Amino acid sequence: MSFWSKEPLFWLFHFLALVCYLLIVTVLMLPTPEWLLYTVVHAGVKISLMLLGCFTFRYFYLQQAWQNLTVFNLAQKIAIASLLISILACSLSLSFSYISAQWMLADHLYQSVIVHGETKHKVLELAWAIFSGLFIVLGWCALYCFIEHRKLQTATKLENLQLQQALKQAQLDALHTQLNPHFLFNSLNNIRSLIRINAEQAIEMITALSQILRFSLAHQQTDKIPLASELAIVDCLIDIAQLQFAERLVFSKQIGQGLEQALVPPLAIQTLVENALKHGVDQRKSATELKLIIKHGKQQLNIEVSNCGTLNPEVKHAHSEDKTGVGLSNLTQRLQLVYANQANFQLTETDGKVVAQLNMPLQMG
């Protein structure tokens, strides 16, 4: 977090405000030219010190996340900060003006007002400066907090809209591309062949296929679901894949105890499993092990899907652009929207196996 704002409009606004303030002071002091330079310099120093104090308030506001405070607590901090800033800025500026007065005022004015002036008048001048400066700083802090609050509201609304749009698009992708024509054709073709041999098993496969479609529709507006629900749809996908690949698919899973109600994005694990089926099992003629491991540690949920095979840069790039299921690229975008930078996805090759790792905050439903 930088102390100085990087927004050009921020500095333009304060520059124009400072210039306008000094112009007003200059115009008001034109009838008394002997006091003009002294007053303008004093006003410039005072307002500059106040702005420096306001920038300090802004720094702590952002660093300490004061935007999350209640209105009462935030108002307390604004009041205390404004009083301290006004006292320090006015005291320092008044001290500077008294010290520099001998170079900016005529000698008789300097002697009569600064040197031989009554102490009570100087105290009253400081008190009035603090009182008037307090309202300037209060106004700045209140306005800044209001603007930041509105910006946060707008950003939150935009983020929610993006999340809703991404989830909606993910579900549409699940309907249109997860069960892509090739996958759907093979599944239905295998089921049709199985009807003559084992009608009961064919019915089970049709049921599994319909459950995947029903799941996609049912969770169209949901950003997180229990792990148990996600694993149920993964089991349906494996049932269909077992029919297609038979002995070529050796599937196993290890689920940590007590994680059934852990929340995950819908179709996240299913996406990883289907990607492994398409780019791993389907590309090999021999038996291929596909393993799903879900565990937790340090408030993180760790999901790993691995399959025998190799991963080269071209394939890795193809995977990142793939649109099977909600697609790995789509999954990465959804993770960013749901968890910001607290979740990550990696696709690597380790010891002759392609490993997809998905880490996200552990949240229980």
Side-chain angles (χ1 to χ4, degrees):
M1 173 60 63
S2 173
F3 181 87
W4 307 106
S5 174
K6 297 181 180 179
E7 299 180 10
L9 288 178
F10 179 87
W11 294 110
L12 178 62
F13 170 81
H14 287 89
F15 175 77
L16 293 177
L18 179 61
V19 170
C20 290
Y21 178 79
L22 294 179
L23 284 176
I24 293 173
V25 173
T26 301
V27 172
L28 293 176
M29 295 305 298
L30 286 178
T32 53
E34 63 273 16
W35 288 95
L36 178 61
L37 178 61
Y38 172 83
T39 305
V40 171
V41 172
H42 171 61
V45 171
K46 182 176 74 172
I47 199 68
S48 297
L49 290 173
M50 285 183 177
L51 287 178
L52 183 61
C54 291
F55 296 162
T56 304
F57 172 85
R58 168 190 169 275
Y59 175 78
F60 283 103
Y61 178 90
L62 297 176
Q63 186 188 53
Q64 303 297 324
W66 287 354
Q67 64 268 27
N68 298 325
L69 296 175
T70 62
V71 175
F72 178 76
N73 290 335
L74 180 59
Q76 282 186 317
K77 291 187 179 295
I78 291 176
I80 295 173
S82 299
L83 181 59
L84 291 176
I85 292 171
S86 181
I87 292 174
L88 289 173
C90 293
S91 300
L92 291 174
S93 63
L94 196 60
S95 301
F96 172 82
S97 64
Y98 283 165
I99 294 174
S100 59
Q102 58 181 321
W103 296 291
M104 291 183 288
L105 290 176
D107 185 69
H108 69 282
L109 291 176
Y110 174 74
Q111 292 295 329
S112 61
V113 177
I114 305 300
V115 178
H116 302 293
E118 294 185 9
T119 302
K120 66 177 183 179
H121 292 162
K122 297 178 181 178
V123 173
L124 288 175
E125 182 182 3
L126 176 60
W128 171 250
I130 292 174
F131 180 77
S132 59
L134 177 62
F135 285 95
I136 295 176
V137 179
L138 271 174
W140 188 97
C141 293
L143 179 61
Y144 177 81
C145 292
F146 175 77
I147 293 174
E148 285 298 313
H149 178 69
R150 294 293 298 175
K151 287 168 61 177
L152 181 62
Q153 280 188 326
T154 303
T156 301
K157 289 180 180 179
L158 180 60
E159 205 169 67
N160 288 337
L161 288 175
Q162 289 177 335
L163 177 59
Q164 293 174 8
Q165 183 63 30
L167 291 174
K168 182 178 179 180
Q169 188 60 47
Q171 300 302 328
L172 291 175
D173 286 347
L175 291 175
H176 292 292
T177 61
Q178 177 206 344
L179 293 177
N180 55 71
H182 176 72
F183 173 77
L184 188 59
F185 174 79
N186 284 340
S187 299
L188 293 176
N189 198 39
N190 289 331
I191 292 173
R192 184 186 64 178
S193 302
L194 190 62
I195 288 176
R196 299 176 182 177
I197 304 173
N198 190 331
E200 184 176 347
Q201 188 176 5
I203 292 174
E204 292 177 359
M205 294 302 102
I206 294 175
T207 302
L209 193 59
S210 65
Q211 286 178 344
I212 294 178
L213 288 170
R214 187 181 299 111
F215 179 90
S216 298
L217 291 171
H219 296 88
Q220 189 170 359
Q221 302 297 328
T222 306
D223 62 339
K224 298 173 187 175
I225 62 171
L227 178 61
S229 299
E230 177 75 4
L231 291 178
I233 208 63
V234 170
D235 289 339
C236 292
L237 179 63
I238 292 298
D239 289 341
I240 295 175
Q242 289 283 10
L243 174 63
Q244 178 181 350
F245 300 115
E247 293 82 6
R248 290 167 53 197
L249 172 61
V250 180
F251 176 73
S252 63
K253 61 182 178 181
Q254 299 176 12
I255 313 300
Q257 291 185 353
L259 295 179
E260 291 78 10
Q261 295 303 312
L263 298 179
V264 297
L267 301 176
I269 302 176
Q270 187 261 9
T271 298
L272 302 182
V273 172
E274 185 182 356
N275 188 75
L277 289 171
K278 180 177 180 180
H279 297 285
V281 180
D282 193 38
Q283 303 300 318
R284 296 168 61 89
K285 300 301 182 181
S286 58
T288 302
E289 181 183 18
L290 195 157
K291 182 180 294 186
L292 169 63
I293 301 176
I294 302 178
K295 54 187 178 180
H296 68 92
K298 296 182 179 179
Q299 297 302 312
Q300 286 281 314
L301 183 65
N302 310 117
I303 302 171
E304 180 180 299
V305 176
S306 62
N307 61 271
C308 298
T310 58
L311 182 66
N312 55 52
E314 291 76 18
V315 174
K316 185 175 182 178
H317 178 73
H319 283 195
S320 66
E321 302 296 330
D322 186 47
K323 288 293 183 178
T324 59
V326 293
L328 296 183
S329 61
N330 189 287
L331 173 61
T332 303
Q333 295 172 12
R334 287 198 297 143
L335 288 174
Q336 177 64 27
L337 288 170
V338 175
Y339 298 105
N341 296 321
Q342 298 179 344
N344 62 81
F345 168 70
Q346 292 182 332
L347 187 64
T348 59
E349 178 186 344
T350 305
D351 298 329
K353 291 185 177 181
V354 177
V355 181
Q357 293 179 314
L358 182 59
N359 301 310
M360 65 188 73
L362 178 60
Q363 300 174 352
M364 304 302 292

